[in-house]
Amino acid sequence: MSMTEVEIRPEWALFGLSHQNYGASTGREILADDTTPHVNLSPVDGEPLPVVYWTAPSTYERVIQEAEKAFLIWRTVPAPKRGEVIKAFGEKVRKAKAPLARIIAYEMGKTFQEALGEVQEVVDMCDFGVGLSRQLYGLTIASERPNHRMFEQWHPLGVVGIITSFNFPVAVWAWNAVIAAVCGDTTVWKPSEKAPLSALAIFSLLREAMEETDTPEGVFNIVIGDATLGQQMASDGRLPLISATGSIRMGRSVAQQVAKRLGRSLLELGGNNAVIVSPHANLDLALRAVTFAALGTSGQRCTTLRRLILHESIYEDFLGRLLKVYEQASARIGNPLRPDTLIGPLIDKDAVEAMQQALKEVQEMGGKVLFGGEVLSGPGYESGCYVRPAIVSADNRWPVVQRETFAPILYILKYRDIEEAIAMQNGVPQGLSSSIFTENLREAELFLSPRGSDCGIANVNIGPSGAEIGGAFGGEKETGGGREAGSDAWKAYMRRQTVTINYGTDLPLAQGIRFEV
């Protein structure tokens, strides 16, 4: 099928997507680029998706300049007024939830139910942002000098660059863009080149909200391209903060480029998340949590469960029950737009190949594939992106287990005591999300203590996947150390200023220093 023969689905037309789409906008204006057209294939059926033109260097330059000009205006708008723009946008997303979810599901392969959840996350983030717009705060600090008042305040940072991954093509952008906008920043978004249509669709709703609220041109911007464009953003000194979500390899490259110019980077990178199941656990509860955490989004979440650490006394029983659940779930692999589907495809054939290579490596190390791992073929699987999720016996120390494979591979590990289990949980380079299932108070508190999980997220009796937006999201070690979404993550998008006011007639110096001339 040629580019001009692509069937335009009703939901695409609803968001203004056509046969050929330009991938740059300064918010209220779409910028046409005479660049090479790029076509992705849907992992659902292997059919070509509408064309997207990547952003040319000259257009990128115009976008940055518009964002800089807009910042000079936007930073002076009262935060509650900025929140009104976010409110208008959130209402539009709420009304377009189902068609937007269908685009996400068809473009990147997550199930329709999960795509609905992602869109709801954007709505929730907007609600959070509106509330935050009236709660940006500073501190009053006791001064050691008489007749002095000392306090800190927060100012907008500037133009924020946002680089997102394919697996959450709209939600992660909202984590950043909503908060940055409320804080008074303008933003330039580079979505994944693997999921540009989802980005363009939700950006069309944002454009409508900007027009209706008379938001200045350039407050929200979008550019589309591959890693080369991301590196250009990382090296651009006009972007004081780069928030990047993706692989550890990508994050390391971005961090190095940003550090060279002494900029800030907010990184949310790979995870290698584990669940510890104690003999004191509610096994029914644990089984349900493990299933979703391991299989959700076909193993393509940064919070996906990769390692299941089972106590030796329950190992055989729990594994046996898990194998039965995987058998049942595998009967519901298919088109993610069908209501009975539990597991959709991987994003592309490269992801399928990476999964096969990981399974080959673990078997060469002495591991055993206990379930699944096959690439599916036949009617309904024509794209070549469907796989049966795998359960593999492994050793935590093996290199293949130490790294993240973005696919549904669950490594099964065994432990004897809780200290050993926590050491295994922590014994990987990544540090995003972690969980323990236990009804033993000592085990739970130990897991949450300084001697426990070293991850940015630590859960008790819930899985590692599916975080709420109210908490700060992110991880430690090679996960990058960044925090997005809730809590006080907003501070990353602002600059702190310490202020001292002398309302007296003397000039006492701090630390009791005397300087008389």
Side-chain angles (χ1 to χ4, degrees):
M1 184 179 291
S2 70
M3 292 184 298
T4 57
E5 293 174 330
V6 173
E7 176 189 359
I8 298 301
R9 297 171 170 239
E11 57 265 26
W12 296 349
L14 180 65
F15 297 102
L17 301 177
S18 62
H19 294 292
Q20 301 186 54
N21 303 279
Y22 295 104
S25 174
T26 54
R28 295 165 68 177
E29 181 182 0
I30 299 174
L31 306 179
D33 264 341
D34 185 20
T35 55
T36 305
H38 291 266
V39 180
N40 290 331
L41 303 180
S42 169
V44 175
D45 54 18
E47 293 296 321
L49 296 165
V51 173
V52 175
Y53 287 86
W54 287 4
T55 303
S58 59
T59 305
Y60 169 81
E61 184 63 26
R62 178 180 170 186
V63 168
I64 296 296
Q65 290 176 2
E66 288 293 329
E68 285 188 302
K69 288 192 297 183
F71 173 66
L72 301 180
I73 302 170
W74 191 241
R75 66 183 178 180
T76 66
V77 176
K81 291 293 184 181
R82 299 192 292 250
E84 290 178 6
V85 181
I86 300 303
K87 181 179 180 180
F89 170 57
E91 287 303 311
K92 290 185 177 296
V93 177
R94 195 188 308 270
K95 293 175 182 177
K97 185 174 176 179
L100 186 54
R102 283 194 290 270
I103 290 178
I104 293 170
Y106 188 64
E107 182 176 40
M108 61 75 57
K110 68 172 54 175
T111 65
F112 180 62
Q113 280 298 313
E114 287 193 86
L116 284 173
E118 175 169 1
V119 179
Q120 183 61 47
E121 195 164 336
V122 176
V123 174
D124 293 345
M125 201 67 228
C126 289
D127 290 344
F128 181 88
V130 173
L132 179 65
S133 71
R134 293 183 179 271
Q135 297 184 68
L136 299 174
Y137 57 83
L139 295 173
T140 297
I141 305 164
S143 174
E144 67 181 62
R145 291 170 284 187
N147 300 320
H148 283 60
R149 181 165 68 93
M150 184 165 57
F151 63 95
E152 67 177 27
Q153 59 186 3
W154 297 82
H155 290 306
L157 188 60
V159 184
V160 174
I162 303 170
I163 301 172
T164 58
S165 183
F166 75 86
N167 59 331
F168 281 86
V170 298
V172 174
W173 163 74
W175 290 357
N176 289 273
V178 166
I179 302 302
V182 165
C183 289
D185 301 321
T186 57
T187 58
V188 177
W189 177 24
K190 191 200 89 65
S192 170
E193 66 272 24
K194 295 183 179 183
L197 294 172
S198 299
L200 292 176
I202 200 166
F203 207 82
S204 72
L205 299 178
L206 179 60
R207 186 161 50 247
E208 292 176 7
M210 290 179 68
E211 291 173 353
E212 293 175 7
T213 56
D214 199 27
T215 302
E217 185 82 26
V219 170
F220 299 96
N221 306 273
I222 187 170
V223 292
I224 293 180
D226 60 7
T228 301
L229 181 58
Q231 286 295 326
Q232 185 176 359
M233 292 173 65
S235 301
D236 195 331
R238 294 168 294 182
L239 303 176
L241 172 66
I242 296 291
S243 176
T245 302
S247 68
I248 292 171
R249 178 185 58 81
M250 179 277 289
R252 185 174 286 115
S253 176
V254 167
Q256 290 171 351
Q257 293 299 320
V258 174
K260 284 180 182 179
R261 58 180 178 85
L262 299 180
R264 298 189 199 176
S265 56
L266 193 167
L267 303 176
E268 199 281 284
L269 310 176
N272 195 349
N273 314 294
V275 164
I276 299 169
V277 182
S278 158
H280 305 289
N282 178 328
L283 297 186
D284 292 335
L285 187 69
L287 186 63
R288 293 199 301 272
V290 163
T291 302
F292 173 71
L295 300 181
T297 321
S298 303
Q300 297 174 117
R301 290 177 174 232
C302 53
T303 54
T304 290
L305 173 59
R306 309 286 177 199
R307 298 173 297 133
L308 180 58
I309 305 172
L310 301 174
H311 189 268
E312 60 184 6
S313 67
I314 61 167
Y315 182 91
E316 296 296 338
D317 176 47
F318 194 88
L319 178 58
R321 296 172 66 178
L322 184 63
L323 289 169
K324 291 178 181 178
V325 171
Y326 263 58
E327 188 69 49
Q328 296 167 1
S330 293
R332 297 169 65 182
I333 300 172
N335 188 319
L337 290 165
R338 289 203 298 259
D340 61 338
T341 296
L342 277 182
I343 305 171
L346 297 183
I347 183 64
D348 54 28
K349 291 182 179 178
D350 288 342
V352 174
E353 178 60 24
M355 177 179 179
Q356 298 308 303
Q357 287 297 322
L359 292 174
K360 179 181 178 182
E361 183 177 341
V362 77
Q363 290 177 87
E364 290 174 348
M365 295 294 296
K368 182 178 180 181
V369 177
L370 306 174
F371 182 91
E374 309 93 341
V375 180
L376 302 179
S377 59
Y381 303 132
E382 289 86 357
S383 70
C385 296
Y386 292 87
V387 297
R388 199 181 308 278
I391 298 176
V392 183
S393 63
D395 188 304
N396 200 57
R397 297 165 294 183
W398 293 346
V400 66
V401 180
Q402 289 281 307
R403 68 174 185 266
E404 179 187 47
T405 300
F406 224 52
I409 302 176
L410 180 60
Y411 299 114
I412 308 296
L413 312 170
K414 186 186 297 186
Y415 79 94
R416 291 185 176 181
D417 58 59
I418 187 62
E419 287 79 8
E420 179 188 13
I422 291 174
M424 293 170 68
Q425 139 67 38
N426 294 343
V428 293
Q430 309 84 0
L432 180 53
S433 190
S434 58
S435 297
I436 186 172
F437 281 82
T438 182
E439 295 185 348
N440 181 293
L441 179 62
R442 176 183 173 273
E443 289 184 335
E445 290 294 339
L446 179 62
F447 183 75
L448 299 175
S449 76
R451 294 189 291 135
S453 170
D454 64 0
C455 294
I457 299 170
N459 297 329
V460 177
N461 293 331
I462 62 170
S465 192
E468 299 180 34
I469 59 97
F473 183 90
E476 301 301 321
K477 300 188 294 188
E478 289 191 355
T479 300
R483 293 296 186 274
E484 298 167 319
S487 185
D488 65 348
W490 60 269
K491 293 180 179 179
Y493 306 89
M494 304 194 82
R495 59 183 178 89
R496 186 195 309 249
Q497 188 174 71
T498 302
V499 179
T500 306
I501 298 174
N502 178 3
Y503 56 88
T505 58
D506 295 325
L507 192 66
L509 300 178
Q511 293 85 46
I513 294 174
R514 299 183 63 85
F515 188 81
E516 303 291 344
V517 178

